[in-house]
Amino acid sequence: MNTPLTTERADVSSDLQWVHAQLEEIVTASVRVQVAQENLARAEALARDHLEDSKVRFLLLRLKESAGLNEGMAEQWATLLQECPDDLQIVRYCATRLVKERHLDEALSLVDRHLPASSENPSRLFSRAKLLSDIRAHEQSDQLFRRLILEHTDRNIRVEFAKRLRKRGLLADAYEAIRPVAAHLAPGSKAAELATALAADYAFFKGLEPEGGLAGKDVRIVSMKHAILHFRNRKIAEQPPEKAVSVALVTGSLGPGGAERQLTRLAGELTRMAAQPDRQLPDVVMRPEKVEVMVKQHTEPAGSTKKKQGLDFFLPVLVQAQIPVTEINKLPAISVAHQSVPDGRLGRMLEQLPPPVHYGVTRLAPVLRANPFDVVSLWQDGTCLFGALAALLAGVPTIHLVFRGLPPNIRKDRFREEYPELFQALAQVPGVYFVSNSRTAAEAYAQWLGIPVVRFHVLYNGVPDLATNASPADEQKWEAFKQATADATETVGGVFRLEPDKRPQLWIKMAAMYLKRRPQARFVIVGDGRLHDNIVALAEELRVVDRLLLVGLSNHVGYWYSQMDASVLLSRYEGLPNVLIEAQLLGVPVISTPAGGAGECFVENETGHLLSDVEHPDMTEACDKVESMVDLVRSNESLKAQSRKRAQDLFSLDAMLSKFLSLCVPVMAVSENDERIDFPQMQRMLA
């Protein structure tokens, strides 16, 4: 017979077991981020009275990981590991959290402490190989797996290695790992099912690639390439030149960037032209009929604890113009099995795609089928990745791949292994246009991809005349700054995001150097971003903070240009910088690094200066150029008029609109190896 104390302990133990079971059920069911976010409140309520229990905290932290929470997670895992230092599951989550926060060296150290490479225990080494794989230390993990396979006969090692290789898309390697033991696996077991599936997939994809072409290749990229090439012989119906076309402009966000601004302007101009039947453009017969913007994300996901800045910055402009905006993230994901894919081989490829491409196929393709467009214009590399195959599946006749800067082989932080295969395959598909906003970028893409530069069209940015009126808030900022710098004789400005590519720290250093030369100068930066606090700290350190105004984001950029004597841009990467064009429209000379197409925006020594080096710009040279342009324009008022005229002639909205509409007719593919194509003749045809 139980004593009351024993009964109470039994009740507590039973209650805790029930909580464990409930939490495990919730964690198992929360495979999607949104589901995990929805389940989090219930799980926290269940755990509230049992937070001293390590298993409860472990399950709760796993759910938070599934919900995409980040703040303080590394510290919480580290605390739990201190309590349970021998729990390899907790070690795994600690290590993977460190990798998510880009602390790979710390993650490797953690693995070495708990599962050292010097161990002679095969089981511990097997766990080490798996954990190295979990933290994406794939080279070390693969070496250890292969060593264990050579030294031991345990089939589980081969099966586990094959499973992990397959997850990374390395189909041929996975097949070779499991093949020697496939016949000895228990029929009906998960291992046997894996071996059978790998053999079938290997046989299928071996038929697509040349002999040995699958070894070391990500089969997801192979699938993407061949799914695109499925359309290389597609037939596009001829359209009468006077036909009105429907246009979808697709991008990643509506944040405060140059590409987003340009897309918003183009959408507005197309919409206005569609509403004005009598509006004519020289040499243009194609007219827009329906215009829509599709954006991957402009609102924050439910349960997000950290707001991304400005994803909807241009949304009000589109709403005011009554341009429909579709948020792709909010579209239902429709699996390939539930879509109309008549060719079985194509369907099989579509089941194995890189995640971004799969995203577009399941979300964007169905809506493009239900709401057909004549033209789908995909802006920026990431959008091309998720949108191009979706547009092909939906039967879109004309597809634009619009590049807004230098290619990702140069901008390493933006490179993805999918890009070369994606673009090279798309170059063989009829109806696909490669479009860049500068000659410089077009040449760089063509060289990188081995695609004839004739395939690229330059669509220069269209920039409207800027109003110089201000909001009351902007006027107050400027008047207060004028009073604080009443002795100033010149104002050097810049309009750019406070992000690493724009190098705002370098701009502050330039300002500090310039101020020593001309102590009556003052400085204005319009823009915001992640480096705001760093900029403030650096300005204080270099003692320029009293001569510097950080405006932040503004919808009255023309007003701020009108206060400047020169505008300076020190970017590492650019496409065709709108800000250089905008400044010239108001007669403000510009000084820029030779980033992207910056040099195509102005006339050297007349309306601006280009610095000598983009990677390591000389700040003494920058100060010389700023000083020169400020003095030159002050002594020659006609230069302001020349600056305005050139910007209006080359970068007008009408020029942009005419060029865009000329790209709304389907074209046949051009292959670099296609000897039937006369490239000079094709260039004349497409000019």
Side-chain angles (χ1 to χ4, degrees):
M1 182 175 177
N2 288 328
T3 64
L5 180 59
T6 306
T7 304
E8 184 180 335
R9 285 176 177 168
D11 289 344
V12 170
S13 175
S14 175
D15 183 46
L16 186 57
Q17 288 175 0
W18 180 82
V19 170
H20 287 169
Q22 291 293 303
L23 288 175
E24 284 175 342
E25 185 178 317
I26 291 172
V27 169
T28 302
S30 301
V31 291
R32 290 174 52 226
V33 173
Q34 187 175 349
V35 175
Q37 291 170 351
E38 291 168 353
N39 287 339
L40 191 54
R42 179 180 161 222
E44 288 176 330
L46 282 167
R48 189 173 297 121
D49 297 330
H50 303 281
L51 292 176
E52 74 287 349
D53 181 76
S54 59
K55 185 171 181 180
V56 167
R57 298 216 311 282
F58 171 70
L59 291 167
L60 197 57
L61 284 176
R62 281 185 59 191
L63 185 61
K64 289 180 178 179
E65 290 281 359
S66 298
L69 302 187
N70 294 309
E71 193 170 347
M73 290 296 291
E75 293 78 6
Q76 293 178 63
W77 280 116
T79 300
L80 188 58
L81 183 59
Q82 286 178 345
E83 292 181 29
C84 312
D86 298 323
D87 191 321
L88 291 182
Q89 273 194 303
I90 297 175
V91 173
R92 175 179 177 271
Y93 278 99
C94 277
T96 54
R97 168 46 59 180
L98 287 169
V99 171
K100 285 179 185 176
E101 298 183 4
R102 301 185 180 181
H103 302 304
L104 181 57
D105 289 342
E106 291 180 38
L108 285 168
S109 297
L110 187 66
V111 174
D112 288 338
R113 283 200 305 275
H114 290 270
L115 293 166
S118 58
S119 174
E120 296 182 1
N121 183 327
S123 176
R124 302 284 288 179
L125 289 174
F126 186 28
S127 295
R128 174 182 171 85
K130 290 187 285 186
L131 190 47
L132 287 169
S133 173
D134 291 336
I135 65 169
R136 303 174 204 161
H138 294 308
E139 186 176 348
Q140 295 179 46
S141 173
D142 292 354
Q143 287 177 356
L144 183 51
F145 266 117
R146 290 192 168 97
R147 188 187 117 197
L148 290 170
I149 285 170
L150 287 173
E151 295 175 357
H152 303 279
T153 58
D154 186 349
R155 296 171 193 161
N156 289 330
I157 298 174
R158 284 186 174 274
V159 171
E160 186 66 31
F161 189 33
K163 183 172 70 175
R164 288 168 181 271
L165 288 168
R166 184 63 182 87
K167 189 175 181 180
R168 286 157 52 194
L170 299 175
L171 171 63
D173 304 76
Y175 172 70
E176 289 301 326
I178 206 169
R179 183 175 56 82
V181 298
H184 306 288
L185 299 172
S189 66
K190 288 187 176 180
E193 289 174 0
L194 173 66
T196 301
L198 285 172
D201 285 345
Y202 182 69
F204 174 75
F205 284 102
K206 195 169 68 167
L208 298 176
E209 289 287 293
E211 187 67 30
L214 285 177
K217 273 196 173 181
D218 188 338
V219 74
R220 295 168 298 188
I221 298 176
V222 173
S223 294
M224 175 196 71
K225 178 179 81 172
H226 287 282
I228 292 169
L229 292 177
H230 174 84
F231 296 95
R232 64 183 152 191
N233 295 318
R234 72 174 184 154
K235 305 298 181 186
I236 303 174
E238 269 192 49
Q239 300 181 35
E242 68 279 1
K243 179 184 183 298
V245 293
S246 54
V247 179
L249 301 169
V250 189
T251 188
S253 85
L254 294 172
E260 294 83 358
R261 178 186 295 111
Q262 193 62 24
L263 180 142
T264 301
R265 284 178 182 161
L266 178 58
E269 289 303 302
L270 288 167
T271 300
R272 277 188 281 278
M273 187 172 182
Q276 300 169 355
D278 296 332
R279 182 178 177 186
Q280 299 294 326
L281 293 172
D283 304 320
V284 175
V285 292
M286 189 70 71
R287 296 188 62 83
E289 177 184 47
K290 177 180 73 170
V291 182
E292 185 170 328
V293 170
M294 295 184 173
V295 56
K296 185 176 182 182
Q297 180 181 8
H298 63 69
T299 59
E300 296 306 312
S304 176
T305 58
K306 195 170 184 181
K307 181 173 174 57
K308 296 179 183 177
Q309 295 298 315
L311 290 177
D312 62 349
F313 185 78
F314 286 108
L315 182 61
V317 179
L318 296 169
V319 171
Q320 186 175 10
Q322 298 183 322
I323 298 169
V325 178
T326 297
E327 189 169 16
I328 302 168
N329 268 4
K330 292 187 176 178
L331 296 173
I334 299 174
S335 69
V336 172
H338 291 89
Q339 294 188 43
S340 174
V341 182
D343 187 298
R345 286 169 59 85
L346 176 60
R348 188 162 184 177
M349 294 175 212
L350 297 179
E351 293 289 354
Q352 303 193 57
L353 293 170
V357 186
H358 181 264
Y359 168 92
V361 166
T362 56
R363 282 180 171 79
L364 186 58
V367 78
L368 291 178
R369 278 199 192 95
N371 184 22
F373 289 91
D374 299 304
V375 180
V376 168
S377 191
L378 303 165
W379 287 51
Q380 306 193 94
D381 301 293
T383 307
C384 295
L385 184 58
F386 77 73
L389 182 54
L392 287 172
L393 287 166
V396 178
T398 301
I399 300 167
H400 296 164
L401 311 175
V402 184
F403 307 125
R404 301 292 306 178
L406 294 174
N409 67 313
I410 295 173
R411 306 182 70 170
K412 301 293 186 183
D413 58 318
R414 302 192 179 186
F415 181 78
R416 296 185 64 108
E417 290 183 6
E418 296 95 323
Y419 285 148
E421 301 274 15
L422 172 80
F423 296 131
Q424 288 165 352
L426 286 167
Q428 301 179 54
V429 177
V432 175
Y433 281 94
F434 288 75
V435 185
S436 178
N437 65 344
S438 74
R439 293 191 304 272
T440 304
E443 290 164 0
Y445 268 95
Q447 182 177 6
W448 169 47
L449 297 169
I451 295 172
V453 74
V454 65
R455 287 301 315 275
F456 290 80
H457 301 261
V458 176
L459 175 66
Y460 277 134
N461 295 353
V463 182
D465 288 335
L466 294 176
T468 56
N469 62 307
S471 68
D474 283 342
E475 283 186 332
Q476 289 171 11
K477 285 180 186 177
W478 176 244
E479 289 304 319
F481 186 53
K482 268 209 310 185
Q483 290 178 20
T485 55
D487 64 327
T489 57
E490 61 187 285
T491 303
V492 178
V495 180
F496 49 84
R497 288 175 288 113
L498 304 183
E499 296 289 333
D501 284 357
K502 305 300 180 182
R503 296 195 290 209
Q505 295 102 322
L506 194 61
W507 204 99
I508 297 296
K509 291 176 182 177
M510 180 275 299
M513 184 181 292
Y514 193 81
L515 195 59
K516 289 178 180 177
R517 292 186 180 193
R518 296 170 74 139
Q520 289 179 296
R522 61 185 165 208
F523 306 91
V524 175
I525 296 177
V526 183
D528 201 359
R530 291 173 292 170
L531 297 179
H532 176 274
D533 293 345
N534 303 62
I535 298 313
V536 172
L538 183 61
E540 289 174 348
E541 178 187 337
L542 298 179
R543 299 182 180 179
V544 297
V545 71
D546 292 338
R547 310 293 295 186
L548 173 68
L549 175 62
L550 295 176
V551 175
L553 296 177
S554 174
N555 287 318
H556 297 83
V557 178
Y559 172 75
W560 292 106
Y561 282 124
S562 70
Q563 312 305 329
M564 300 176 192
D565 293 296
S567 182
V568 181
L569 186 68
L570 299 177
S571 299
R572 176 178 281 110
Y573 303 116
E574 285 289 351
L576 191 80
N578 282 336
V579 294
L580 300 182
I581 301 166
E582 291 171 345
Q584 289 176 91
L585 282 170
L586 291 171
V588 179
V590 294
I591 297 88
S592 175
T593 52
E600 297 171 44
C601 295
F602 56 86
V603 179
E604 179 65 22
N605 291 325
E606 290 185 23
T607 62
H609 280 307
L610 203 66
L611 301 182
S612 304
D613 189 2
V614 70
E615 282 300 323
H616 305 287
D618 183 337
M619 289 300 95
T620 300
E621 180 192 19
C623 289
D624 290 344
K625 300 290 190 184
V626 174
E627 198 171 2
S628 166
M629 288 313 301
V630 169
D631 293 342
L632 181 64
V633 171
R634 283 182 171 177
S635 64
N636 187 350
E637 278 293 319
S638 66
L639 287 179
K640 287 189 175 184
Q642 291 176 27
S643 172
R644 283 192 287 269
K645 185 176 187 312
R646 183 180 186 278
Q648 287 167 343
D649 289 347
L650 198 56
F651 306 109
S652 71
L653 295 177
D654 277 0
M656 170 197 67
L657 195 55
S658 296
K659 181 63 177 180
F660 181 86
L661 289 171
S662 75
L663 303 177
C664 289
V665 180
V667 292
M668 297 304 292
V670 180
S671 168
E672 186 177 22
N673 298 318
D674 193 341
E675 297 179 355
R676 295 169 299 169
I677 299 294
D678 181 342
F679 287 119
Q681 180 184 3
M682 180 63 71
Q683 191 163 19
R684 290 191 295 273
M685 289 168 59
L686 297 178

